[in-house]
Amino acid sequence: MFNPDINDYQLTSIITECCGGVAVVYSALYKPSNQNVAIKRYFVDKTRENANLIQQDILTRKALQHPNILPYLTSFVHGRELYVVSPLMTFGSCRDILDRYYHEGLPELACAIVLRDVLLALQYLHKQLYIHRSVRASHVLVGANGSVRLSGLRSAASMMVRGRRQKQLHNLPPPDHDNVNLVWLSPELLEQNLKGYDERSDVYSVGVLCCELANGAVPFAELPTTLMFTEKQRGARPQLLDCTTFPEPCLHDGDMKSIYNTDSGVGDSEAPRARQLYGARKFSDTFHHLSDLALQRDPEKRPTASQLLNHSFFKQIRKTDYLPGLISRIKPIKPDPNDMSAMLLQQKLSEMDIEKTTEWDF
């Protein structure tokens, strides 16, 4: 058990700003057990409109318990700010890892381990009648021991509505700060028609995640929202970039730039470098097949998360494979005792004249 009391936590470093600037994540030391944790600090004045999303995130995480889902430890209000405590995932998110260390994408075996664990989390979620609706690399976290956990549950939706199980849902996920999540959403979810969508919309997002992890770039990221929507509706889908797919004979460099963001090196002036980078490698046929299956335009043709877990792509994983060893460039998040932002905040908290910290429970 973790106490909902700010005095039991020593903030050590700022990790990242998130949620469009309405929250900051810190590493912290839980003093009663000398354990490192992560604390997400929400600025209440900025989060009034999203308070129900934060509540949804906490309620969902409290209801779900699985080794591959980020657990909830406790939460509390101190002053005018909300603090949510989680385990410290030492290597950060897969998006962090790609941006900082693997611009060209992760090795295939590392992708296999991450995707397997994400599918295990989704298999559990779907059995609990939840649809995640926000599967992307920034919501896939890696711990010190190589554990992979799925976060981002504030967008999750239950298939149970007023006590009855629904076969399909029709509502869009709550909008995030810049609509970035739309890139990963399935065509049928974006269509908002009478057919609705089900758990297989998450499988489409896994297909986009395959390309994000393998290529380092976010598919569709540079396209305007309306054009991205149109491209998905007509069946356009990203691919794993290697010597068999890059560049497509009928695809010009400018087209590649529009489908994959410029951070990957794909674009006008960088096309030769990108061609050399991606053209010098080859992913397995099973990886290509897995990605193609998940990205089927017709959800009826898409496998479930459980079916994908039985795909031959995952047979390459051995019990001795260790994720941090496969992506050895990465460096763990280390608490910085000289981080002035954390020190100043801790000092401010200790000086605040507040009667007590209030637990935020539901």
Side-chain angles (χ1 to χ4, degrees), residues 98-356:
L98 292 169
D99 288 343
R100 296 175 185 175
Y101 306 106
Y102 285 88
H103 300 287
E104 76 284 5
L106 302 180
E108 179 172 330
L109 183 54
C111 291
I113 293 173
V114 171
L115 291 167
R116 177 201 62 188
D117 290 354
V118 168
L119 284 169
L120 286 170
L122 290 177
Q123 180 186 52
Y124 169 77
L125 273 174
H126 296 166
K127 286 182 178 178
Q128 302 302 312
L129 303 181
Y130 279 93
I131 305 177
H132 189 281
R133 305 195 301 182
S134 192
V135 176
R136 61 190 202 228
S138 60
H139 287 157
V140 180
L141 310 180
V142 181
N145 60 354
S147 60
V148 175
R149 286 174 166 169
L150 188 60
S151 64
L153 288 171
R154 66 178 188 163
S155 297
S158 175
M159 298 289 284
M160 294 293 293
V161 179
R162 292 185 291 274
R164 293 186 178 183
R165 178 177 178 174
Q166 306 297 304
K167 290 184 178 180
Q168 290 88 23
L169 296 181
H170 297 85
N171 58 313
L172 273 170
D176 51 26
H177 62 277
D178 57 2
N179 286 329
V180 67
N181 194 47
L182 297 177
V183 168
W184 286 266
L185 296 183
S186 66
E188 69 272 13
L189 197 160
L190 292 170
E191 275 181 328
Q192 291 291 284
N193 60 26
L194 293 176
K195 292 182 180 179
Y197 61 91
D198 60 17
E199 299 93 333
R200 283 170 294 189
S201 63
D202 280 342
V203 173
Y204 181 94
S205 300
V206 170
V208 181
L209 177 63
C210 285
C211 299
E212 184 182 9
L213 294 175
N215 303 334
V218 179
F220 304 112
E222 296 300 310
L223 287 181
T225 301
T226 52
L227 183 55
M228 177 271 295
F229 176 77
T230 302
E231 289 294 296
K232 284 188 177 183
Q233 295 309 306
R234 70 179 184 86
R237 55 189 182 187
Q239 290 181 308
L240 306 180
L241 299 181
D242 65 4
C243 62
T244 68
T245 60
F246 182 84
E248 290 281 354
C250 60
L251 203 58
H252 299 294
D253 293 335
D255 296 324
M256 291 301 299
K257 183 178 179 181
S258 69
I259 296 177
Y260 292 95
N261 69 11
T262 53
D263 289 341
S264 67
V266 181
D268 298 328
S269 61
E270 294 295 323
R273 187 187 72 83
R275 191 174 293 111
Q276 182 180 17
L277 173 67
Y278 295 124
R281 69 182 184 187
K282 187 178 188 304
F283 292 122
S284 67
D285 292 341
T286 56
F287 197 4
H288 283 285
H289 186 248
L290 178 92
S291 173
D292 289 342
L293 279 176
L295 289 167
Q296 289 283 340
R297 170 66 181 84
D298 184 355
E300 296 291 334
K301 296 180 180 179
R302 256 177 252 148
T304 65
S306 297
Q307 289 169 336
L308 270 188
L309 280 167
N310 291 320
H311 195 278
S312 55
F313 170 66
F314 296 110
K315 291 182 180 179
Q316 64 182 295
I317 303 174
R318 299 167 298 182
K319 290 183 178 180
T320 54
D321 288 327
Y322 180 57
L323 182 57
L326 296 170
I327 45 178
S328 55
R329 297 179 207 165
I330 60 175
K331 297 178 181 179
I333 297 168
K334 291 185 178 180
D336 181 4
N338 297 314
D339 189 328
M340 290 304 297
S341 60
M343 292 171 63
L344 291 172
L345 176 60
Q346 193 73 42
Q347 182 179 358
K348 171 191 166 187
L349 293 173
S350 63
E351 292 174 352
M352 289 175 69
D353 184 18
I354 298 172
E355 291 185 3
K356 65 175 183 176

